Amino acid sequence: MHNKRKIQDNLLKSLTIGAALMTASALFIVFYFVFTSGFSLLSFDLLVSDYKTEQYNTTLDDTIETTMFEEPEGNEAFFSQIYGISLKDAENKDAEAIIVIDYIAPESPFNTLKSINENETVNASEGGVITRISFENTSTALTREGAESMINKLDGGHTIREIIFVEPGGGIRGSIIATLYLIGLTLVMALPLGIFSAIYLNEFAKDTRLTRTIRSFIDTLTGIPSIVYGLMAVSVFIPLTARFNMASGLSIYAGAMTMTVILLPVLIRTTEESLASVPNDYREASLALGANDVQTTFKVVLPNAIAGLLTATFLSIGRIIGESAALIFVMGTAVRDSVYPSQGATTLAVHIWTLMSTEPANVELASTIALIILTIVLILNTTVKLLAKKFDKLGNR
Amino acid sequence: MDTAFKIENLKVAYGETVALKNINLELYPKSITALIGPSGCGKSTFLRTLNRMNDLISICSISGEVYYHENNIYDKQCDVIELRKQVGMVFQKPNPFPMSIFDNVAYGPKRQGVKDKETLKQIVEKALKQSALYEEVSDRMDASALSLSGGQQQRLCIARALAMEPEVILMDEPTSALDPIATQKIETLLDDLKKEYTIIIVTHSMHQAARISDYTAFFYMGELIETSDTNTLFSLPKKKQTEDYITGRFG
């Protein structure tokens, strides 16, 4: 009998350990996958460059005098002494051979190329791709001949007629800006609404049937999947923004309104909790000193709930960064490089959706964005933990 | 004799539970009245009816009359804010706000619209001197009130109440969370304060009531059993329950 009991106990115990281990390994697998497939693409360039590939047909600005350039130390690519540029062979994401600019001397004429069609200056920057250089003597240097041949032809002394320079795309600058716009606009609407509603419900509202109903509505709203909010937003916010001439269809404005509605229930709940955790002693002390309820709320209760409010704000930012389903409906899936709040755009999360729904799916870039999102969420959560600690110190005086 | 409070047929109930009934009592100005009785006898509830702090409890219902000077404070016309300005309160647990010492004392006057820094400074200094705390904190008025010891915090709370220049100070077991030395300091302070203020104090300790109060009221099971001047009540109690309580047979 005793033995049977022991086996039962151990079985239950190992079940709990097993479950905990499985959860931990699931988290580890996610991190491992995202890290291994996304880390190689992660670079500062990615964050600041455009998504769309731009091709420029350019020529040299012949007002600039050419001198001889020194080869930089440790250069492993092929270097042109006349033009001060080094090129190397590389492969693009689709495994095609390309010639990439490895280094440009500061004085190089390649720094100020002139566009042939439009009258503008194009800076060939490091990491840019040169697909073809044509010379006045009708010879050309092509990608398939390789970087060494292109350098030899450059140093051959012929006048250049045309350089086709490609700024490779795949950057996420637009999506980052769109995400920042969305965060800013949403917080501007959601924070005052959420915080003031919570203050009303927790501090001023009497416990009546109406307030109980409002509370249960808020609780129900928390559980509704965001795609349902997205549907609602398409039929409410998009016409609304059009009516007030803010946008003519998909827009970040509509996205921010949608996010506001999604965030409000959680925001109100978290704020209420942080208000409720302010000791009642403070309220009593303030009221006993002849302060009215408004003064008590804004001078005593709110300042002591500020850490909780910050926590709610950071959690909201995390939620905005992570939302995708609802935003696909109201902000669209077209990745943009120039972002305006009155137009559609993709946030980082929706950018992943776009990348994965094209043929072929760009898993690598999607993973890189996922890695960035994970990092941001991790930072936000750590901040929340630190704030909570500070909050505790105040609470347990 | 002139009265500060005159209570007639007071009944207080929390929902179905009756906390106080048939209370008739007069409280006299510029003296200390102690409210004694075992836990749950309604003495704290009674104290909180005097500045309408029971308003905060939604299920609390009150009938009867409580006259502060000539005015029934449970009249509809009564201004609660005005009442609480004149009837200050000090709580059981020291509850200074988590702000600086200065801001704690200046809190009340500021809420009444006192903005001038010099005036505020004078009010704060006066209140701190009255509560015998000034010497200890004069060099660190900007320090957090939470950095003070428990006894200092309680005297700060008294100073905070005094800054409103009230007539009456209600005290709900103000020394129960303090050590004997801090308790003694507060008792000495109360003896000084009664020259200018009407003090009504709830206390668990009969010895404290006997030491500091001029009048004592004994509450038991929601009723006022006996009230008289402190010497008489402790030496010649009229009722059996009072005698049992003060001789330590129960409670």
Side-chain angles (χ1 to χ4, degrees):
Chain A
M1 200 61 205
H2 180 74
N3 247 345
K4 199 179 161 194
R5 176 72 183 275
K6 214 172 180 182
I7 292 169
Q8 247 178 18
D9 287 353
N10 283 333
L11 199 69
L12 281 174
K13 210 174 184 181
S14 47
L15 264 179
T16 58
I17 297 172
L21 279 179
M22 271 170 76
T23 318
S25 47
L27 189 72
F28 178 75
I29 290 169
V30 171
F31 266 99
Y32 181 78
F33 168 77
V34 169
F35 202 79
T36 46
S37 45
F39 189 69
S40 61
L41 260 188
L42 189 65
S43 69
F44 185 69
D45 257 6
L46 176 80
L47 304 182
V48 296
S49 58
D50 285 351
Y51 180 67
K52 288 193 186 65
T53 306
E54 288 285 352
Q55 180 176 318
Y56 302 98
N57 296 15
T58 60
T59 187
L60 286 183
D61 185 351
D62 21 299
T63 55
I64 292 175
E65 287 190 26
T66 51
T67 48
M68 291 298 274
F69 290 92
E70 289 275 329
E71 186 167 348
E73 269 179 52
N75 180 40
E76 286 173 8
F78 305 102
F79 186 71
S80 158
Q81 287 185 321
I82 296 179
Y83 293 104
I85 182 167
S86 45
L87 302 175
K88 66 175 179 190
D89 294 306
E91 273 185 4
N92 71 3
K93 285 181 210 109
D94 300 324
E96 294 161 351
I98 51 169
I99 296 172
V100 176
I101 301 173
D102 191 49
Y103 164 79
I104 300 183
E107 310 281 308
S108 167
F110 274 74
N111 270 327
T112 48
L113 294 171
K114 259 188 358 193
S115 171
I116 289 177
N117 304 323
E118 294 130 71
N119 200 12
E120 58 177 4
T121 313
V122 177
N123 306 328
S125 51
E126 283 152 27
V129 173
I130 291 176
T131 51
R132 195 178 71 189
I133 299 177
S134 331
F135 298 95
E136 289 292 1
N137 66 351
T138 68
S139 71
T140 51
L142 292 170
T143 299
R144 63 182 144 82
E145 289 158 6
E148 186 172 13
S149 150
M150 192 177 272
I151 289 292
N152 288 340
K153 284 184 180 168
L154 274 176
D155 279 358
H158 300 293
T159 319
I160 293 173
R161 197 180 69 223
E162 188 185 32
I163 301 164
I164 297 184
F165 170 71
V166 173
E167 193 85 72
I172 57 168
R173 185 176 56 93
S175 295
I176 291 179
I177 294 174
T179 311
L180 291 177
Y181 263 126
L182 187 68
I183 292 174
L185 288 170
T186 307
L187 290 185
V188 163
M189 290 188 277
L191 285 184
L193 275 176
I195 291 174
F196 282 103
S197 312
I199 290 176
Y200 172 72
L201 286 174
N202 201 61
E203 302 294 322
F204 299 132
K206 297 223 162 56
D207 190 24
T208 60
R209 180 167 297 197
L210 178 70
T211 53
R212 277 199 295 273
T213 316
I214 293 179
R215 265 173 219 273
S216 67
F217 268 29
I218 290 170
D219 284 345
T220 315
L221 283 173
T222 324
I224 293 178
S226 61
I227 199 155
V228 178
Y229 287 106
L231 276 175
M232 177 276 304
V234 170
S235 52
V236 176
F237 291 143
I238 290 187
L240 192 76
T241 48
R243 179 79 186 70
F244 289 100
N245 286 328
M246 293 166 80
S248 55
L250 306 172
S251 70
I252 300 183
Y253 285 132
M257 291 177 188
T258 316
M259 281 317 297
T260 302
V261 177
I262 294 177
L263 286 180
L264 274 179
V266 188
L267 200 55
I268 292 175
R269 266 282 170 238
T270 338
T271 311
E272 262 205 279
E273 269 163 38
S274 65
L275 291 172
S277 67
V278 174
N280 234 349
D281 297 4
Y282 293 164
R283 292 187 185 84
E284 288 194 336
S286 171
L287 291 170
L289 285 167
N292 61 30
D293 53 352
V294 179
Q295 291 172 328
T296 303
T297 300
F298 287 95
K299 294 288 176 186
V300 174
V301 180
L302 207 55
N304 283 301
I306 219 80
L309 295 189
L310 284 174
T311 307
T313 310
F314 279 109
L315 289 177
S316 302
I317 295 175
R319 189 81 197 267
I320 298 170
I321 293 172
E323 183 54 57
S324 56
L327 296 179
I328 289 172
F329 290 162
V330 283
M331 283 168 56
T333 57
V335 180
R336 286 176 204 263
D337 287 319
S338 37
V339 179
Y340 303 99
S342 57
Q343 292 176 357
T346 55
T347 65
L348 288 171
V350 180
H351 196 148
I352 295 182
W353 193 89
T354 307
L355 289 171
M356 296 304 288
S357 56
T358 49
E359 196 62 49
N362 190 344
V363 181
E364 204 180 6
L365 183 55
S367 304
T368 311
I369 301 176
L371 186 63
I372 294 169
I373 294 179
L374 274 182
T375 316
I376 298 174
V377 172
L378 199 72
I379 293 171
L380 286 175
N381 279 357
T382 321
T383 320
V384 166
K385 284 241 172 67
L386 290 175
L387 284 173
K389 231 182 202 169
K390 200 182 156 198
F391 191 46
D392 258 7
K393 260 184 211 155
L394 256 176
N396 311 328
R397 66 199 175 91
Chain B
M1 203 195 307
D2 192 23
T3 60
F5 278 102
K6 195 168 176 210
I7 295 101
E8 287 176 0
N9 295 320
L10 178 71
K11 182 185 169 189
V12 181
Y14 298 114
E16 298 292 300
T17 323
V18 177
L20 285 173
K21 58 193 175 210
N22 302 328
I23 307 292
N24 290 285
L25 181 64
E26 291 184 350
L27 298 167
Y28 304 110
K30 305 213 163 131
S31 63
I32 299 181
T33 306
L35 311 177
I36 60 168
S39 296
C41 69
K43 54 192 189 305
S44 287
T45 302
F46 176 75
L47 192 76
R48 294 164 71 95
T49 55
L50 299 181
N51 67 343
R52 291 189 55 175
M53 284 307 272
N54 282 331
D55 289 11
L56 303 181
I57 302 159
S58 56
I59 56 164
C60 181
S61 61
I62 291 162
S63 64
E65 282 91 47
V66 178
Y67 292 101
Y68 173 60
H69 296 297
E70 303 306 310
N71 310 313
N72 184 353
I73 61 170
Y74 285 93
D75 253 4
K76 281 211 174 102
Q77 296 99 316
C78 172
D79 182 352
V80 184
I81 305 286
E82 201 55 41
L83 172 76
R84 288 181 186 151
K85 274 158 68 179
Q86 289 171 35
V87 183
M89 190 165 198
V90 175
F91 297 83
Q92 182 172 4
K93 195 174 142 202
N95 60 352
F97 301 125
M99 26 174 122
S100 75
I101 293 169
F102 183 93
D103 286 342
N104 259 282
V105 184
Y107 180 85
K110 267 189 191 166
R111 297 292 84 78
Q112 301 310 324
V114 180
K115 285 207 180 79
D116 181 54
K117 278 195 180 140
E118 206 45 49
T119 318
L120 280 174
K121 207 179 152 198
Q122 281 167 10
I123 294 174
V124 171
E125 277 182 18
K126 189 181 166 209
L128 284 172
K129 276 174 187 158
Q130 277 182 309
S131 65
L133 190 63
Y134 187 72
E135 303 280 295
E136 290 159 63
V137 299
S138 60
D139 55 340
R140 49 177 177 141
M141 299 285 255
D142 291 327
S144 165
L146 303 183
S147 67
L148 298 174
S149 72
Q152 288 174 324
Q153 286 189 8
Q154 195 62 300
R155 275 181 284 148
L156 182 69
C157 292
I158 295 174
R160 191 171 63 179
L162 292 174
M164 293 300 292
E165 305 195 326
E167 272 189 51
V168 183
I169 303 170
L170 309 175
M171 297 188 160
D172 191 356
E173 299 185 35
T175 58
S176 67
L178 304 180
D179 63 69
I181 293 171
T183 301
Q184 199 198 358
K185 274 189 186 161
I186 290 194
E187 286 182 6
T188 319
L189 171 65
L190 293 186
D191 209 47
D192 279 344
L193 289 178
K194 79 170 181 186
K195 288 170 200 141
E196 288 174 63
Y197 301 91
T198 307
I199 295 169
I200 298 152
I201 181 170
V202 167
T203 175
H204 240 72
S205 149
M206 280 171 289
H207 300 292
Q208 186 172 53
R211 275 197 304 269
I212 62 171
S213 70
D214 303 301
Y215 303 96
T216 301
F218 171 60
F219 285 77
Y220 183 60
M221 305 274 281
E223 285 185 89
L224 176 64
I225 305 296
E226 188 171 349
T227 176
S228 72
D229 65 276
T230 303
N231 283 338
T232 318
L233 190 120
F234 278 94
S235 53
L236 289 168
K238 291 191 193 77
K239 299 270 174 67
K240 177 89 171 47
Q241 286 147 315
T242 317
E243 194 184 337
D244 287 351
Y245 184 70
I246 60 178
T247 50
R249 254 169 246 161
F250 75 92

